[in-house]
Amino acid sequence: MAVLKVAKLGNPILRKIAAPLTADECKDPKFQIFLDDMVETMEKLEGIGLAAPQVFQSKQAVVLRSTSNTRYPEAPDHPLMILINPVLSDHSEEMIEGWEGCLSVDNLRGKVCRHRKVKLTAFDREMKPLAFEAEGFPAVVLQHEIDHLLGKVFLDRMSDFSSLTHLAEFDEYWLSPHKVV
Ligand code: ZN
């Protein structure tokens, strides 16, 4: 396995619509190794999700897993998911606002509104069809990652840039709601 290079904001690959994978493409042993490399890259860089275009493959694949780490100390635990060709099939009208960052957007956090609940269809890495619902934190991560497949980053989803903050300032002023400043 290998840690892959991450495309940064400004790289045109982050703005392309990713291509869906065929069963043959997904089952190719080289692509299966690539999926393992995506997981390793996400974990090494302490991301909670990663989309294939972020590691220079404009294909519809995302991985996510969350455990508390130094980038996201308050992240709840969520088991590893590898999703091929994920599509949001439905969502709640109700929105939730939360802080987002991105491995492709260094050193920034900003508040983004997302649907609180989403329904998805996708395939697993063996191309078995999946359909499921997610709510709260995993729903937000899924929306962020699927956006990468559509050429979008979280900055595009911010309605107000006044919350945009560098990481050191995020840690100092926004991480703990109880901190006296
Ligand atoms: Zn991202």
Side-chain angles (χ1 to χ4, degrees):
M1 295 217 285
V3 174
L4 304 167
K5 185 173 152 61
V6 175
K8 300 294 178 177
L9 189 67
N11 194 300
I13 197 161
L14 294 174
R15 295 309 192 171
K16 280 180 69 176
I17 294 181
L21 284 144
T22 65
D24 284 349
E25 283 172 332
C26 184
K27 290 175 183 171
D28 184 321
K30 280 196 199 125
F31 192 78
Q32 291 289 316
I33 292 169
F34 170 72
L35 291 174
D36 292 332
D37 289 345
M38 281 182 70
V39 173
E40 189 176 351
T41 303
M42 170 177 71
E43 292 187 345
K44 187 84 176 180
L45 302 179
E46 298 197 316
I48 50 185
L50 187 70
Q54 292 183 273
V55 283
F56 296 93
Q57 291 265 357
S58 192
K59 299 284 182 189
Q60 291 185 15
V62 305
V63 299
L64 51 137
R65 165 152 63 194
S66 79
T67 51
S68 171
N69 64 36
T70 51
R71 274 187 84 235
Y72 291 92
E74 283 158 19
D77 286 346
H78 192 276
L80 177 65
M81 287 182 94
I82 297 177
L83 300 177
I84 307 299
N85 302 345
V87 176
L88 289 183
S89 55
D90 202 3
H91 60 75
S92 65
E93 291 304 316
E94 192 188 343
M95 310 292 279
I96 46 174
E97 186 180 61
W99 290 98
E100 294 188 26
C102 182
L103 293 173
S104 296
V105 182
D106 284 341
N107 198 29
L108 286 176
R109 289 288 167 88
K111 279 188 182 174
V112 184
C113 278
R114 301 282 189 182
H115 302 294
R116 191 174 68 79
K117 257 174 143 174
V118 290
K119 279 189 186 169
L120 284 102
T121 60
F123 296 87
D124 70 8
R125 66 188 297 169
E126 275 91 42
M127 288 306 270
K128 285 198 212 96
L130 304 170
F132 60 97
E133 286 186 22
E135 186 173 353
F137 186 78
V140 168
V141 178
L142 284 161
Q143 288 169 82
H144 177 120
E145 298 313 327
I146 290 173
D147 265 356
H148 279 302
L149 307 181
L150 304 171
K152 300 271 186 209
V153 297
F154 78 91
L155 300 166
D156 305 329
R157 300 299 190 196
M158 291 180 71
S159 53
D160 173 3
F161 287 111
S162 66
S163 67
L164 202 59
T165 175
H166 282 172
L167 268 185
E169 282 68 24
F170 178 78
D171 290 346
E172 183 168 358
Y173 297 108
W174 302 105
L175 186 59
S176 166
H178 307 299
K179 185 167 171 150
V180 177
V181 295

